[in-house]
Amino acid sequence: MRIGFFDGVREIGGNKILIEENGEGFILDFGKRFSVNNTYFNDYLGEREWKSPNDYIKTSILPPIKGLYKREIPVENEIDVNIRGVFFSHAHLDHIGLIDYINDSIPKYMSSYTKAVLDHFIDRGLIKEVKNVQIFEEPVKIGSFTVKPIPTDHDIPGSFATEVDTPKGKIFYTGDIYFHGRYPEKSLNFVKYAHDSKPYILITEGTRFGWGFIASPTEDELKKEIVSVLNQTQGLLIGNPYEPHISRILTFYEIAKEKGRKFVMTLPYAKILKRYKLIGDENAEKILSDPDTFIYKPDNPNLNFEDFEEKTIDANSISTDQNKFVLILDFLNTPELLDIKPQKNAIYVHSGGEPLASLDAENTKILSNWLNMFSVPYFRIHSPGHAPQQELLWMAKEINPQILLPIHTQIPERFEIVSNNVKILERGILYDF
Ligand SMILES: [Zn+2]
Ligand SMILES: [Zn+2]
């Protein structure tokens, strides 16, 4: 069998892993590379539509795989493998962001949560229309391989590690993973199961190697920290969690409950919680059905609130009673501050939502300008969605594969501390295993 790594090699994100035997194969994840954002293209300068997808293939944004794309224009050195499916470990854009380039005839396997987030991103115009999505719960057979999902915990719901049965033994791919979220048992069960399977290959993330000391608070610890700030100020709490990260939204909701405040969210949060509720998520149901939960309604006659209409609240109601609310406000609704008029005891807690400071300096500056306009202090109270270095090493040692393949890290060599079987990968090469 051959395995090729297109992106995610000595970089964080962009994972695209091709596994094939005798010309039949599949791909694990198909994400956007943060590292080439704003290199050749950006929000203003895009590919030439009539050449799509070749401009992106030639600039290493997409891999040169024959038959993979919606449109086919031959390129040099194409890889000729019949791709029978693409499996998406979770819905972060560095794993799913280029899904809309994949040919409609190729099945796209993902969890029902990942599909919910994908639909949310399509709604927001971040991803174009996608066809042939299959909910991935049962094993899928592709040639001599069987592919299975193993649920894990990450800072977005519905993530899984992937198990691949091959004639030479099992391959496990961790996807992105952490052990300090609300469901550590999922990630721990995965490690135990992989260990017991005596795997041939482990493809593991190594995101936090080289990050130095960054704490990994649990949701409960984050809650305590936010509350401790709030206890000093007693004014309006404005939170900014990442829209699909329901565990963090729940943290802000719990703060509202604890402090006897009303919980208000802008429409994007309400929409994604509704999608989660429709696939049976009990926390989404709890938040949405609470009589003290409200949806923020901007003074915009064109906004359609559909079934949220009865639960809406306007800026004026919040503005006149600021210490009675916890408001989660997505970045694109930041100008609503002009109507909310936060008072000087208000606080802004940036907790994983856009803009991502390390990747988006321009919008981070804009956010800071808005907060300065109202003299609202900015607090970054957040916890990474990835295991810290010592836990990455523990996981690799515990699973103890015959071959260890690090990806989604800038320092793959770091795994050599705990394993003599690390193979350092190069981008775009098909290796024989
Ligand atoms: Zn990632
Ligand atoms: Zn992720």
Side-chain angles (χ1 to χ4, degrees):
M1 103 183 111
R2 293 190 301 167
I3 309 181
F5 294 81
F6 299 89
D7 314 324
V9 175
R10 215 174 272 285
E11 67 181 335
I12 293 168
N15 293 14
K16 303 174 194 73
I17 305 164
L18 169 63
I19 302 184
E20 75 92 30
E21 190 163 58
N22 304 323
E24 298 273 309
F26 58 92
I27 294 174
L28 302 175
D29 284 337
F30 207 72
K32 261 192 181 142
R33 299 176 71 188
F34 296 137
S35 64
V36 294
N37 272 358
N38 303 324
T39 304
Y40 304 107
F41 299 104
N42 63 11
D43 289 347
Y44 303 103
L45 180 60
E47 61 175 343
R48 297 170 294 175
E49 291 284 337
W50 70 96
K51 294 275 193 185
S52 179
N54 283 31
D55 284 356
Y56 284 175
I57 292 174
K58 288 178 179 172
T59 50
S60 297
I61 291 168
L62 290 167
I65 300 172
K66 197 174 174 208
L68 179 61
Y69 298 109
K70 282 183 174 162
R71 261 178 95 223
E72 193 75 18
I73 309 176
V75 289
E76 285 167 24
N77 305 319
E78 271 181 326
I79 295 165
D80 193 357
V81 172
N82 179 20
I83 300 296
R84 301 252 314 267
V86 183
F87 298 81
F88 294 90
S89 65
H90 63 288
H92 281 149
L93 289 169
D94 61 321
H95 295 257
I96 202 171
L98 295 172
I99 186 173
D100 48 359
Y101 282 85
I102 301 171
N103 196 301
D104 292 344
S105 68
I106 297 174
K108 297 153 190 86
Y109 298 95
M110 63 188 75
S111 68
S112 50
Y113 276 104
T114 298
K115 179 172 189 308
V117 181
L118 171 65
D119 289 341
H120 180 73
F121 286 157
I122 292 171
D123 228 27
R124 278 193 54 186
L126 294 174
I127 291 179
K128 291 187 216 104
E129 196 198 349
V130 176
K131 290 199 175 126
N132 204 349
V133 169
Q134 313 277 337
I135 300 303
F136 183 36
E137 283 164 352
E138 299 301 318
V140 173
K141 266 195 90 62
I142 290 179
S144 54
F145 304 112
T146 305
V147 189
K148 290 178 232 172
I150 306 172
T152 51
D153 200 16
H154 183 39
D155 59 348
I156 193 164
S159 70
F160 59 76
T162 313
E163 173 185 359
V164 185
D165 287 334
T166 82
K168 293 186 86 169
K170 283 186 193 291
I171 300 174
F172 288 99
Y173 164 48
T174 61
D176 289 354
I177 191 165
Y178 72 168
F179 302 89
H180 54 273
R182 287 186 186 265
Y183 311 99
E185 67 284 352
K186 287 192 196 175
S187 298
L188 291 166
N189 287 344
F190 157 67
V191 174
K192 178 166 187 341
Y193 176 75
H195 164 90
D196 293 346
S197 306
K198 301 193 173 12
Y200 176 43
I201 291 173
L202 173 67
I203 302 167
T204 178
E205 72 128 306
T207 312
R208 285 177 68 180
F209 284 142
W211 279 20
F213 182 77
I214 293 177
S216 307
T218 62
E219 292 301 319
D220 263 352
E221 289 164 342
L222 287 176
K223 186 163 65 181
K224 280 197 190 103
E225 198 169 335
I226 297 168
V227 167
S228 79
V229 179
L230 196 55
N231 283 344
Q232 300 311 311
T233 57
Q234 303 286 353
L236 176 64
L237 166 59
I238 305 168
N240 175 3
Y242 189 52
E243 283 162 35
H245 188 9
I246 184 169
S247 287
R248 188 63 48 80
I249 294 173
L250 194 58
T251 297
F252 283 97
Y253 169 78
E254 286 170 358
I255 292 169
K257 293 274 100 180
E258 205 173 302
K259 305 299 281 181
R261 292 181 175 214
K262 294 184 169 62
F263 181 65
V264 183
M265 52 190 156
T266 46
L267 193 56
Y269 295 108
K271 281 184 164 177
I272 197 155
L273 288 189
K274 188 178 158 194
R275 289 186 190 279
Y276 290 164
K277 183 182 125 177
L278 290 174
I279 56 171
D281 188 290
E282 288 170 3
N283 288 323
E285 161 78 37
K286 180 170 77 181
I287 297 171
L288 286 171
S289 63
D290 189 322
D292 282 329
T293 292
F294 296 89
I295 317 303
Y296 179 82
K297 188 175 189 180
D299 179 18
N300 171 1
N302 301 322
L303 257 189
N304 182 359
F305 274 73
E306 297 164 16
D307 47 344
F308 295 122
E309 191 63 54
E310 284 176 15
K311 287 184 82 68
T312 57
I313 192 166
D314 62 8
N316 199 35
S317 309
I318 298 172
S319 190
T320 51
D321 246 344
Q322 302 203 3
N323 58 3
K324 297 207 165 47
F325 293 94
V326 170
L327 165 68
I328 55 171
L329 179 74
D330 62 291
F331 177 63
L332 293 181
N333 271 308
T334 304
E336 291 301 323
L337 292 175
L338 292 169
D339 295 348
I340 296 165
K341 305 183 185 76
Q343 291 157 1
K344 66 177 178 193
N345 58 351
I347 54 170
Y348 187 96
V349 176
H350 196 181
S351 194
E354 294 162 348
L356 304 175
S358 56
L359 301 168
D360 191 353
E362 195 178 336
N363 285 317
T364 300
K365 180 76 191 124
I366 287 173
L367 175 61
S368 143
N369 292 340
W370 276 102
L371 298 180
N372 289 341
M373 189 202 293
F374 295 97
S375 300
V376 173
Y378 170 96
F379 293 85
R380 186 172 184 274
I381 303 180
H382 181 48
S383 185
H386 300 271
Q389 309 190 57
Q390 67 275 24
E391 288 177 4
L392 288 170
L393 295 174
W394 165 79
M395 176 169 70
K397 205 166 149 186
E398 191 68 17
I399 295 177
N400 190 26
Q402 288 177 45
I403 303 167
L404 181 66
L405 306 177
I407 62 160
H408 203 285
T409 175
Q410 288 166 330
I411 317 178
E413 293 83 1
R414 203 49 63 84
F415 281 107
E416 289 168 349
I417 297 172
V418 292
S419 171
N420 296 321
N421 308 315
V422 180
K423 184 172 176 65
I424 303 301
L425 300 161
E426 277 179 52
R427 182 177 180 276
I429 294 178
L430 279 168
Y431 295 97
D432 278 306
F433 286 101

